[in-house]
Amino acid sequence: MKKRIKIALATSVNKALCFAQNIPADFVKEIRQYMNHNHVIGYATLALKNLGYSQDEIWKVIHEMHSLFDFKSEEEAAEQAEDFLQERQ
């Protein structure tokens, strides 16, 4: 199944469950955001592992990422990361 169809189905199922069980939409949004954070951390963990970082170093990165999730919006993070990467060129 294509990714867009899966996302549309997941969104529809979430909306239906919220309606049927009186779950606040904000709660579902928060859960979805948390799951997205886990995906980001998963990719970062695998990338660092593949590059030879130790578990201690990876845990430091994960803890910093959790802190950034709390204090930076997705837009701020993307903009600041892009600015940093542009400095290298």
Side-chain angles (χ1 to χ4, degrees):
M1 192 179 298
K2 294 194 178 213
K3 189 174 185 176
R4 284 185 182 176
I5 295 172
K6 286 182 182 178
I7 292 170
L9 280 173
T11 302
S12 297
V13 169
N14 281 341
K15 286 180 182 177
L17 286 172
C18 287
F19 181 75
Q21 298 178 7
N22 294 323
I23 299 172
D26 289 342
F27 178 73
V28 173
K29 184 178 178 182
E30 186 176 324
I31 297 268
R32 193 175 301 130
Q33 181 180 12
Y34 180 73
M35 290 173 61
N36 288 339
H37 290 174
N38 282 340
H39 289 112
V40 170
I41 288 173
Y43 282 117
T45 299
L46 292 176
L48 293 167
K49 177 183 172 248
N50 291 346
L51 291 170
Y53 286 79
S54 71
Q55 281 189 343
D56 287 340
E57 292 169 318
I58 293 171
W59 275 113
K60 286 179 186 178
V61 171
I62 291 170
H63 290 296
E64 180 63 19
M65 289 178 73
H66 278 289
S67 176
L68 290 169
F69 290 148
D70 292 337
F71 297 108
K72 296 271 184 208
S73 70
E74 291 175 12
E75 294 81 14
E76 288 176 307
E79 183 179 315
Q80 290 177 13
E82 186 176 336
D83 290 346
F84 171 75
L85 293 172
Q86 293 295 326
E87 291 174 8
R88 187 173 180 191
Q89 295 178 351

